[in-house]
Each structure stands twice: as C-alpha cells, then as structure tokens.
Amino acid sequence: MVGLLPAAWLAARTAGFLGGLGTNPIERLLIESGTIAMITLLSALGVTPLRRLTGLAAITRLRRMIGLLAFGYVTLHFLVWLGVDLFFDVSLILDDLTQRPYVMAGFAAWVILLLLASTSTDRAVRMLKRNWSRLHRLVYVAGVLAVIHVIWLTRADYREATIYALVLLVLLGSRLVWTVVQRRKVRGEPARNGVT
Amino acid sequence: MLIRSRRVSEPKPSEITPEAIYHRRRDFMRAGLGIGAGMLLPPMAGARTALDFSPGAFGTDEKHTPYEDVTTYNNFYELGTGKADPARNADQLRTEPWSVRVDGACARPGNYALEDFLSPWALEERVYRLRCVEGWSMVIPWVGFELNKVLSQAEPTGSARYVAFETILDPDNLSGQRRPVLEWPYVEGLRLDEAMHPLTLLAVGLYGETLPNQNGAPLRLVVPWKYGFKSIKSIVRITFTEQEPPTAWNRAQPSEYGFYSNVNPDVAHPRWSQRTERRIGEFRRRPTLMFNGYADEVAQLYTGMDLKQHF
C-alpha cells in the first residue's frame, strides 16, 4: 500500500493539485515517473542486502511485491514516453530508439523487467526451477541499464545520476562481498580481519 | 507560413550616423517628458519597469507564451540547473552597477556604463519564436534593438570575422558558478555576418518591461534562428575576433553542440528530438522548422555550407 503513494502523489499533481506539473507538464511527468521508477527499482535491489544485514527472513516476502511495483512504475514511465510525450507516433518512437542511446538503455531495462515480471508467479518459479534464479539475476543488468539511462540523458549536472550510481554500486557490491565471504566459509578458510 | 515577415531591410545610414542618434535621442527625451519621467528611468535591479518602445519590424501571429511561463521556466545555469531555479535564485544576480566592454578588432573600443551603452538606441518590440535544444519552444515579445547598431558604431576592422560574447562572472553571488557544471564565465559567439543580421537582437526587456534577472537582465542576445543557448544572457563583454571564438556548450560537449547550432530538424541530437518540439502550452508536439521558421531571412548566410557538418 505504501508503494502506491508515489502513484497517488503523481496523479494528484497531474490533476493540478500539490502545485501541479508546472510549465512543461509532460516533461515533468516523464521526469517524476522516471525518478519514482528508479527509486523503486533500487529499493527492490536493496531487499536482499537488507535481509542479510538484519537477518530478518520476513523481509524476503516483500521482494516480489517491490519488484512488481518497480516494474509497474517503469511501465508507467515507459507509457508516458510512448503515449503522452510521443503520442504513439511510430516515426518519433523509432527516432528515439535508433538515435538516442539513453532511450535504448532505458527500453532494454524495461524489456528485462517485463520478462522478469511475467515469470514472477509461483508457477513460473516451480516450472523454471534453478533457471528461475539465474533468469532473475538479470535484474542486476536492468539496474545497471537504468543508471546508464540517467547518466546518458544528463545534460551537464550529474548530481542525481551520481547518487543513483553510488547506491547501485553499494547494492551490487554488497552481493559480491557476500558471495566471496560465503565461498570462504564453505572452504573452511578463516575470514580475514574485518571481513566477517 | 505563420510569420508576418516583412523583407529584411538593411539598416539605413541614418540609423548609424552620430547626428541622427543625437536627434533621435532628443525626440526620445521629449517624448519621454510627455509620457512621464517614470517610463524613462534606467532599469532597476529586481524591479519591473515599463519600457518605452515602438512596434518592431518582425512579428508573428502565433500566440504569445504567457509571462508566467517565460519567467519561471528558464535555463540559466549561473542561477541553478533546474528549470525553476533561475526564478527562485534571481536575486543572486546583481545588475547594478553594470558595464559593458566592447573590444577586440575594432577602431572604437570602449567600456560603457549600461545607461550610456543603451541611451543612443531606440527600443522596439520583436516577437520571436524561441526554440530550446531540449525540444521545447516559446513565443516571446522581446524589447531591444538590433545588435548591428552597436557593432557598426564600434567600427570593426577588416580582419574582424567573429563576435564573441561573455556573461558576468560573479561566483561570490551566483551560486551556480561555484559548481563546475560548465566552464565559467559562459561564452558565446557568432560569425560577424550573423551578428550583423537585422534579426539578431540585443534585448533589454520582454512583455514591455525590463528583463527579469532569470531571463538574462540587464542585457542579453536573442538569435531566433538558433537554439536558445546561443542567446547568451547578462552580457558584460562583446569582442570582435579574427578566429572562431569558443562557446560554452561546444566546449562542454563538442559532439552535441556545434558553433553554429542553427535550429535544424535534420540534425539529430542524442538527447532530444530536433525533428519536433513541444510549444509550451500545447499538448501535441509540432514539427520543428528549418532555422526555426526564419529560413527566408537567414538561409542565404549559409549558402554552400554543409549544415550537417557545420551543425
């Protein structure tokens, strides 16, 4: 339910409340929906590190929901671009997809999330067995593509892009550290000082 | 075509001879006495002062972008990189005192107090389309005078081929200049014939009043057939050069922003569609016109040039 608050906030602004969307409302809608999508996607990537950090297994149950929420917001962002900004103009869509690298990166991230969302049911998990977790590791690629999307669309002020990149680096880096530590444990090697 | 374009006429000799300036100045002052002294006071920082001007040679029937939008949705990185930042931080720009230096390859260089720089020239209103490289556009009633008047008065030497412009550098007050988003000060440039073109305007106002700080007070360039970033704001220096001068965005990202930066729907940009634009206030995108719709006036400046190469 908390995850739907950004949608409500955006809907209210689109309707002209809370200051509305300003002078260039479609551009603003694109930016805001993209920001929400990015934050939700990074949140989804934060679930596993948070569980490992806190040891709270219950957090894992949130993972699918936050993941689907991220897909929903990325889709909303995608639809604002496709249907509101470009008004389903095929030649403009093709222009964007062929001339603008940041659009290519963002589009690829959405395709990955579409694939992951459509294989997120219990049945799909059972059917794909071990391949399911392999497939769903693609979310890391989606995260990287999303950050690249922001870096490439940035005109000159990289503050926001830098924050996203750092958060992603920490979230993916923590997995790397975790994996290394686990392998050591399996091999029975003592962890070095400071790495436990 | 939507523009009411009267044919471009060369500036009459009477517009540049000192005698005529002298007489017109007299008329100007006499008229001012009749209208009320308040109309003629020099622009004051932060205050919206009405200007005395006549209708100009170029206009358009298109709907003017509302004052509110023109003055709250700006790219002026000296006052912040967000669109609303310049209006919010407008008081960081100190416009008094203000002086303008004219130098470089010319016979009559000078350093003028703003009042002296402006006083010889009668103001006129020019309603121009403004096309930002970011894919949005506005229609703005500027108040100003043709740049060629100032340039002719300075008597450029035979070797002068370009005109360089510089924005105020004041990092102590302009918070945006304390971050290296662009190389400061902001610089721009035109080829001399572009700068002399009658469409090229030095603006001191919009909507009949002095420029708000966020729009480049007290003095800015308006080059309506080029992307908006060419129209440099808050000018302190105009220099005649022999070599092509550096320009701020070209320096930052040469593959994306060329020296010319003429509005051109056929030169794609890696960030924004240049084939279409969103006119502020409209829902659907509209096609972007070559030279922003000013092809009849300016296309001849570029005959024989490959504009895809010299973008």
Side-chain angles (χ1 to χ4, degrees):
Chain A
M1 289 308 279
V2 177
L4 293 176
L5 283 178
W9 174 72
L10 209 53
R13 287 184 58 188
T14 307
F17 299 104
L18 306 174
L21 291 168
T23 293
N24 196 344
I26 295 174
E27 181 193 63
R28 180 88 346 237
L29 199 60
L30 259 178
I31 293 171
E32 302 292 5
S33 62
T35 305
I36 296 169
M38 177 63 95
I39 292 171
T40 322
L41 182 60
L42 291 175
S43 305
L45 284 167
V47 172
T48 299
L50 191 68
R51 188 201 65 209
R52 286 168 182 165
L53 209 64
T54 60
L56 287 169
I59 295 174
T60 310
R61 268 181 274 153
L62 288 171
R63 195 171 62 173
R64 173 156 60 188
M65 211 171 70
I66 299 179
L68 285 172
L69 203 61
F71 169 69
Y73 283 129
V74 174
T75 302
L76 175 70
H77 179 60
F78 170 77
L79 288 175
V80 171
W81 166 74
L82 195 78
V84 185
D85 187 19
L86 303 184
F87 213 73
F88 304 107
D89 184 320
V90 176
S91 74
L92 290 183
I93 293 165
L94 288 178
D95 268 9
D96 262 12
L97 283 173
T98 55
Q99 294 169 352
R100 285 174 258 294
Y102 85 91
V103 177
M104 300 176 209
F107 184 74
W110 176 74
V111 171
I112 289 175
L113 292 176
L114 178 67
L115 185 70
L116 302 191
S118 55
T119 56
S120 67
T121 57
D122 289 337
R123 228 185 71 181
V125 178
R126 276 197 304 276
M127 274 173 61
L128 290 165
K129 297 194 182 96
R130 260 189 357 175
N131 286 328
W132 187 89
S133 40
R134 279 189 200 155
L135 179 69
H136 278 244
R137 261 177 230 149
L138 279 176
V139 73
Y140 306 146
V141 179
V144 170
L145 284 170
V147 170
I148 288 176
H149 170 72
V150 178
I151 292 172
W152 281 351
L153 70 80
T154 300
R155 193 173 172 186
D157 188 347
Y158 283 94
R159 276 181 297 187
E160 193 182 352
T162 307
I163 293 170
Y164 296 144
L166 287 177
V167 171
L168 184 77
L169 210 64
V170 168
L171 295 179
L172 296 188
S174 74
R175 287 172 165 83
L176 202 67
V177 170
W178 176 264
T179 309
V180 170
V181 170
Q182 290 303 304
R183 281 203 187 135
R184 281 215 185 110
K185 274 189 193 161
V186 170
R187 273 188 263 148
E189 286 173 15
R192 280 188 205 154
N193 286 346
V195 186
T196 49
Chain B
M1 208 55 190
L2 290 157
I3 0 164
R4 252 190 290 128
S5 68
R6 278 160 235 180
R7 274 320 283 183
V8 172
S9 57
E10 290 298 307
K12 297 184 204 88
S14 64
E15 286 180 319
I16 41 181
T17 57
E19 284 88 352
I21 294 158
Y22 174 81
H23 288 300
R24 210 179 33 226
R25 187 154 180 251
R26 275 290 168 90
D27 295 342
F28 190 52
M29 290 168 79
R30 234 177 277 128
L33 286 173
I35 294 161
M39 305 279 282
L40 281 172
L41 285 176
M44 293 205 297
R48 283 171 65 171
T49 311
L51 293 163
D52 190 25
F53 60 91
S54 55
F58 298 91
T60 163
D61 294 331
E62 291 160 278
K63 188 173 169 286
H64 298 187
T65 304
Y67 181 87
E68 169 79 6
D69 292 331
V70 174
T71 56
T72 56
Y73 186 81
N74 306 96
N75 277 328
F76 195 2
Y77 280 15
E78 284 81 346
L79 297 173
T81 55
K83 290 286 183 298
D85 291 345
R88 200 180 299 133
N89 300 329
D91 58 356
Q92 293 176 3
L93 177 65
R94 308 290 162 85
T95 57
E96 263 180 27
W98 194 274
S99 61
V100 182
R101 183 141 56 105
V102 180
D103 60 5
C106 61
R108 296 176 59 196
N111 197 2
Y112 304 89
L114 181 68
E115 295 71 25
D116 301 332
F117 183 81
L118 299 178
S119 60
W121 318 114
L123 300 176
E124 56 176 296
E125 184 171 70
R126 296 278 179 98
V127 185
Y128 285 161
R129 289 178 290 277
L130 174 90
R131 169 62 158 81
C132 178
V133 72
E134 296 168 354
W136 52 268
S137 62
M138 294 182 176
V139 177
I140 304 175
W142 301 105
V143 178
F145 51 93
E146 289 174 12
L147 172 66
N148 57 50
K149 297 182 179 181
V150 170
L151 301 185
S152 302
Q153 191 194 36
E155 293 173 16
T157 63
S159 63
R161 291 188 56 219
Y162 296 90
V163 185
F165 304 88
E166 202 175 295
T167 296
I168 184 177
L169 179 67
D170 183 17
D172 288 343
N173 291 308
L174 299 169
S175 57
Q177 287 184 337
R178 295 198 286 271
R179 298 184 50 228
V181 182
L182 287 170
E183 204 176 308
W184 309 115
Y186 195 95
V187 288
E188 257 305 338
L190 295 171
R191 220 169 53 191
L192 186 58
D193 57 345
E194 297 176 318
M196 292 297 290
H197 193 280
L199 273 177
T200 306
L201 196 73
L202 271 181
V204 295
L206 55 83
Y207 270 100
E209 297 171 349
T210 49
L211 283 173
N213 286 357
Q214 61 269 34
N215 293 85
L219 181 74
R220 67 168 292 168
L221 192 65
V222 182
V223 195
W225 72 92
K226 292 173 180 285
Y227 293 117
F229 64 85
K230 293 292 291 181
S231 295
I232 185 170
K233 299 184 174 86
S234 306
I235 297 168
V236 293
R237 188 177 176 194
I238 299 173
T239 310
F240 295 94
T241 69
E242 297 172 16
Q243 306 295 324
E244 186 181 287
T247 60
W249 280 102
N250 176 260
R251 227 160 30 181
Q253 199 59 264
S255 62
E256 292 179 31
Y257 310 99
F259 173 77
Y260 288 95
S261 289
N262 293 315
V263 175
N264 188 342
D266 299 326
V267 175
H269 193 278
R271 290 169 218 283
W272 309 283
S273 167
Q274 303 306 19
R275 212 146 68 72
T276 62
E277 67 200 51
R278 177 163 289 108
R279 178 67 51 83
I280 293 302
E282 293 179 355
F283 179 72
R284 293 286 299 274
R285 288 176 165 273
R286 53 161 73 204
T288 289
L289 304 174
M290 187 65 198
F291 297 117
N292 201 21
Y294 296 98
D296 285 352
E297 287 85 2
V298 301
Q300 92 280 353
L301 292 172
Y302 309 101
T303 36
M305 273 176 74
D306 180 357
L307 292 177
K308 286 189 177 171
Q309 202 191 326
H310 299 280
F311 58 86

